Amino acid sequence: MNRIFAEFCSTTGIAYEAAASSAHVEEDEVTLASRLAVTELAVGAVAAAAAAAAHFARARGASPVTTRWAVPARAVAASYRGDQLLRVDGQAFPGFAELSGFFRTRDGWVRTHANYPHHRARLLAAFDLPEDSGRDVLVARLAECDALDAEERVRAHQGIAVAVRTPQEWATHPQSTAVAGLPLVGIEALGDHGAAPVRAYPGKLRDPNSPAAGVRVLDLTRVIAGPVATRTLALLGADVLRVDDPNMPEIVAQHLDNGMGKRSALLDLRKDADRETFDRLLETADVVVTGYRPHSLDAYGLAPTELARRRPGLVIATLDAWGNAGPWQDRRGFDSIVQAATGISMLTSPDGGGAAELGAGSQRPGALPA
């Protein structure tokens, strides 16, 4: 039994037997090699999405016989490594910017994320470095700092960097203990109005491969995690509109890879005309997905409780890096940053499996294959 798939069923209340009959997991091959169960995680997550799609299709009248999918591990691996495999006119895209990655400190390591210009500027400002500083300059400055001090300095400047911790260090961290035992996916009702009725298929459409056809989704996400979630909805037939702030440009490769099947728009919610346009879109939306730093959209009246009040029955999905409890719940985070903070980077050290027990000093941190 795939553990991720089983946890999804437990969280959502979908019977495991019914879900397994909808998504046949092919797990005979490890396609994302790692000391950790990366293939199992990836395949289980895709199987959960397929099972949910089948469940939704049947709720809309599709035949159970036609809502079954195979989940091949190799295809899943290719999708998870889409950022590495993407080519435009034969050209690959760099994975990380010059100032992103692992840096040695006086007592260990930190991992930074500076792929976006504003994050790069905040990182350099945290160490009083000129805006045109290169990697060598940052290497020298961080070598003079303790890892935890560097983490706090960057956070104070609203940048993104974390100390690389061992699994043992993370296990006793207040954030880790705060979210221990919480499910990967939480579901709660907002208000007492109940769920909205399932929107009927448009026209006479009954295509089981488009179970979400006719469902309108507002996509307020960036980078990878959120856009992949909404891309999944788009590939299942939903009408997805991604809305971006024109003042925060996206990385081209990510937008291409994660924008398949979607429409895209630029709206500045600080401008009255753009806000009116957004409010009209919200009036006919069935789903809103947000992936910004937790609570950063609240100032625009886009907190889940406010959205539910304005549009009863709206499905609101929020994605975050650290969980919805604990001292880090409002912090910025990316997958690479979470790996470094939680001990995954030490577990995947190129120096071998013993690195996690030896500490985050001289041992080199590593990363998951996708």
Side-chain angles (χ1 to χ4, degrees), residues 69-95:
W69 289 279
V71 184
R74 289 184 64 81
V76 170
S79 178
Y80 267 71
R81 299 184 66 221
D83 59 324
Q84 302 167 45
L85 299 175
L86 177 68
R87 300 291 185 273
V88 175
D89 295 331
Q91 299 297 311
F93 289 83

Side-chain angles (χ1 to χ4, degrees), residues 5-370:
F5 194 17
E7 181 170 343
F8 158 78
C9 295
S10 175
T11 300
T12 59
I14 298 176
Y16 181 82
E17 293 75 13
S21 68
S22 301
H24 172 58
V25 178
E26 300 176 1
E27 291 184 290
D28 58 344
E29 184 176 9
V30 174
T31 54
L32 294 167
S34 173
R35 291 189 68 236
L36 301 176
V38 179
T39 301
E40 182 183 18
L41 172 64
V43 170
V46 173
H55 185 77
F56 189 50
R58 289 194 291 270
R60 304 179 82 192
S63 168
V65 177
T66 58
T67 52
R68 294 175 179 170
W69 289 279
V71 184
R74 289 184 64 81
V76 170
S79 178
Y80 267 71
R81 299 184 66 221
D83 59 324
Q84 302 167 45
L85 299 175
L86 177 68
R87 300 291 185 273
V88 175
D89 295 331
Q91 299 297 311
F93 289 83
F96 287 94
E98 179 188 23
L99 300 188
S100 295
F102 293 110
F103 292 83
R104 193 183 289 272
T105 63
R106 187 159 47 198
D107 62 344
W109 297 83
V110 295
R111 178 147 195 171
T112 65
H113 196 290
N115 285 7
Y116 293 90
H118 56 293
H119 290 156
R120 184 183 193 279
R122 293 169 185 173
L123 174 65
L124 293 173
F127 299 101
D128 301 316
L129 295 175
E131 293 183 0
D132 59 352
S133 297
R135 188 176 179 89
D136 290 346
V137 175
L138 184 60
V139 166
R141 181 59 57 87
L142 285 170
E144 301 169 351
C145 301
D146 291 337
L148 290 176
D149 177 59
E151 176 182 279
E152 286 304 309
R153 288 181 65 170
V154 176
R155 184 192 65 81
H157 282 76
Q158 301 182 38
I160 303 176
V162 293
V164 176
R165 293 168 170 83
T166 66
Q168 294 81 1
E169 290 170 334
W170 180 250
T172 59
H173 190 279
Q175 183 59 33
S176 177
T177 57
V179 299
L182 294 181
L184 291 175
V185 179
I187 302 173
E188 63 178 305
L190 297 175
D192 56 5
H193 43 69
V198 177
R199 185 189 289 267
Y201 276 111
K204 296 182 179 180
L205 178 64
R206 292 291 187 274
D207 181 0
N209 293 312
S210 299
V215 175
R216 296 171 66 90
V217 180
L218 283 180
D219 176 2
L220 309 181
T221 67
R222 286 172 58 78
V223 197
I224 296 176
V228 167
T230 50
R231 181 184 68 185
T232 302
L233 294 175
L235 296 178
L236 291 171
D239 184 357
V240 180
L241 175 65
R242 174 164 166 173
V243 180
D244 280 283
D245 182 343
N247 302 302
M248 295 182 66
E250 183 59 283
I251 296 172
V252 172
Q254 289 176 173
H255 209 297
L256 290 172
D257 187 32
N258 300 326
M260 291 184 288
K262 305 178 188 179
R263 295 181 174 88
S264 184
L266 297 174
L267 292 175
D268 186 343
L269 298 186
R270 291 172 288 266
K271 296 180 177 179
D272 291 343
D274 283 8
R275 182 55 198 250
E276 290 175 5
T277 298
F278 179 83
D279 288 342
R280 288 197 301 272
L281 292 168
L282 183 62
E283 290 175 1
T284 59
D286 301 298
V287 179
V288 172
V289 183
T290 68
Y292 285 76
R293 179 175 55 85
H295 305 297
S296 61
L297 297 178
D298 292 6
Y300 301 99
L302 300 180
T305 51
E306 177 63 16
L307 288 170
R309 185 194 65 78
R310 293 177 55 190
R311 181 127 171 86
L314 183 70
V315 175
I316 305 156
T318 62
L319 296 92
D320 60 80
W322 305 107
N324 60 354
W328 283 22
Q329 62 180 293
D330 293 337
R331 288 199 181 188
R332 297 169 174 85
F334 295 97
D335 178 67
S336 58
I337 295 297
V338 173
Q339 289 184 42
T342 61
I344 291 174
S345 293
M346 297 313 299
L347 284 171
T348 56
S349 168
D351 298 327
E357 288 72 39
L358 294 173
S362 60
Q363 304 299 313
R364 294 173 297 162
L368 297 176

